[in-house]
Amino acid sequence: MMAAFGLGAVPGALMAASAKLEPSGSRIRVLALLTGAAIVATALTPVVAGAFIGIALAGFLSIWLVAAANTLVQLHSSPQLRGRIMGIWTMALPGGYPLTAVIVALVAGVDARAGFALAGITMIAIAAATWTSLGGPATASQPEAITG
């Protein structure tokens, strides 16, 4: 399964690297929703081949998402704060693992597919809950760059 994820991740990284335009909030939102949907679809597939395809698709989308989001954070950080912001960003990505891993493990202990689906549903819920934070043009309450 990890190999299938990796097979999807390589073209996902290439997609992120080959983007002609700067990543946008709307692209990040769509990629987050699609990644969550791919994870849920993988959990629901009744056949092993479907699980491998779903994992590869999740790898493709999640690596593209992480690379695009990372780029967006760096491009919208002021140069004086970029190192600090990237330090926080680097800790924020795995920062929820201790809590979420326990919850997913408890659910997966009862039903492995349900645990996997829970991870995808959570991703979709977070993307939906934070939808407007990656909205359109900057306003007075949403500065274009993160400044000090």
Side-chain angles (χ1 to χ4, degrees):
M1 296 299 260
M2 290 300 292
F5 186 92
L7 285 173
V10 171
L14 293 173
M15 284 295 294
S18 67
K20 302 284 187 242
L21 300 174
E22 174 181 316
S24 65
S26 60
R27 181 179 302 154
I28 302 299
R29 292 188 305 231
V30 170
L31 286 170
L33 289 174
L34 290 175
T35 302
I39 293 168
V40 171
T42 302
L44 299 177
T45 187
V47 295
V48 173
F52 281 106
I53 292 168
I55 286 286
L57 181 60
F60 173 80
L61 292 166
S62 67
I63 295 303
W64 188 3
L65 166 65
V66 170
N70 191 336
T71 301
L72 188 67
V73 168
Q74 289 185 55
L75 290 174
H76 289 269
S77 300
S78 70
Q80 312 88 293
L81 297 176
R82 191 166 294 134
R84 290 178 223 154
I85 290 169
M86 291 313 296
I88 293 167
W89 173 258
T90 301
M91 292 306 299
L93 286 176
Y97 289 171
L99 175 62
T100 58
V102 171
I103 295 168
V104 170
L106 290 172
V107 174
V110 176
D111 182 359
R113 286 183 180 198
F116 203 71
L118 177 62
I121 291 167
T122 302
M123 185 165 196
I124 292 169
I126 291 170
T130 60
W131 192 261
T132 58
S133 67
L134 290 170
T139 63
S141 63
Q142 179 188 357
E144 186 173 311
I146 301 168
T147 58

